[in-house]
Amino acid sequence: MTYETILIERVEKVGLITLNRPNAMNALNGVLMTELINALSAFDADEQIGAIVIAGNERVFAAGADISEMAKMSSVEMVKGSFVELFDGIRNIKKPIIAAVSGFALGGGCELAMSCDMIIASEKAKFGQPEINLGVIPGAGGTQRLTRAVGKVIAMEMVLNNRILSAKDALDFGLVNRVAPVDEYLKVALKLAKRVAARAPLALRQGKAAVNKAFELSLTEGLEFERRAFYFLFATEDQKEGMAAFTEKRSAEWKGE
């Protein structure tokens, strides 16, 4: 399938999606978000793909939503529109998603990165929610995911006073997994994705779901969800293979069954 605003590539068992609006600093508009969700869904349905990476370029991951597209929209038009709701589609992807971020990840770009399961940042990455400068607030999960990642006081400063986090800050506050040199960050993200993709597919799916539930459920409910997922995996062929491979001191051969 041909896309206008993204590039797609297969790197072994990893699906790579590259945001490709360089003249607009990868600003997120309706077309790009729709194409992104379509590409994510296609990789999610592909049994040959085990993990997905979303990347920008060295200068910018995504500089935010396309303001020119929404500047004149009314509240009713925003409610009727689907742009913000498109971000919800990322939550429906069952395979692990890794954001490879270099340069600016601002506004919707920061929200997109945080919608992923893990983030690899280059040394020049910068994360921020500057919507306050436009007279609005983050609307695609920024206030919620950011607070869960970095804590209340840092999130408050970012949302209310446009604090921008450097890559080091983002690592120190727990927003990203690791920081790599600019010429290595995408390789590091792909290496991590390849290692993840080599794991048992059903266990990956259940593990991702269980960790995400930790942010939505009480401890008692979360533990129950985890326990059900754990028990379920004992009905899979991969569980039998994994434990047999462990006792036989060999590498497991996963089938996703």
Side-chain angles (χ1 to χ4, degrees), residues 5-16:
T5 61
I6 62 173
L7 303 173
I8 61 170
E9 182 181 352
R10 295 168 183 266
V11 185
E12 298 177 19
K13 294 188 68 176
V14 175
L16 173 61

Side-chain angles (χ1 to χ4, degrees), residues 40-215:
L40 286 169
S41 299
F43 280 139
D44 204 33
D46 189 336
E47 294 185 359
Q48 301 304 311
I49 295 296
I52 304 166
V53 171
I54 300 176
N57 55 54
E58 293 183 1
R59 178 170 171 251
V60 61
F61 177 71
D66 194 332
I67 304 305
S68 64
E69 189 177 71
M70 64 175 65
K72 296 182 179 180
M73 295 181 71
S74 68
S75 178
V76 172
E77 288 172 327
M78 288 298 294
V79 171
K80 288 183 176 180
S82 61
F83 174 75
V84 172
E85 282 72 17
L86 285 170
F87 281 80
D88 294 338
I90 303 173
R91 297 181 63 193
N92 298 325
I93 304 302
K94 296 179 175 61
K95 292 174 182 174
I97 308 172
I98 298 169
V101 177
S102 186
F104 296 108
L106 304 177
C110 187
E111 290 171 312
L112 174 58
M114 291 190 295
S115 296
C116 298
D117 302 305
M118 291 170 273
I119 303 176
I120 301 298
S122 87
E123 293 173 333
K124 292 187 177 180
K126 295 186 181 300
F127 299 86
Q129 300 289 167
E131 289 88 347
I132 197 71
N133 294 336
L134 304 174
V136 294
I137 66 170
T143 63
Q144 303 304 299
R145 291 191 176 94
L146 187 63
T147 304
R148 285 164 168 78
V150 304
K152 175 183 174 180
V153 296
I154 301 301
M156 280 290 190
E157 190 175 2
M158 294 177 70
V159 172
L160 303 186
N161 199 40
N162 189 27
R163 176 173 176 176
I164 304 297
L165 297 188
S166 67
K168 182 181 182 303
D169 288 339
L171 182 63
D172 290 343
F173 293 136
L175 184 61
V176 307
N177 291 74
R178 58 188 65 110
V179 176
V182 175
D183 59 352
E184 294 287 328
Y185 82 101
L186 183 55
K187 294 178 183 177
V188 172
L190 287 170
K191 182 179 179 179
L192 175 59
K194 289 176 184 177
R195 295 186 67 181
V196 170
R199 312 293 181 179
L202 293 175
L204 281 178
R205 182 174 299 190
Q206 293 297 320
K208 171 176 173 171
V211 171
N212 282 332
K213 286 296 183 183
F215 294 98

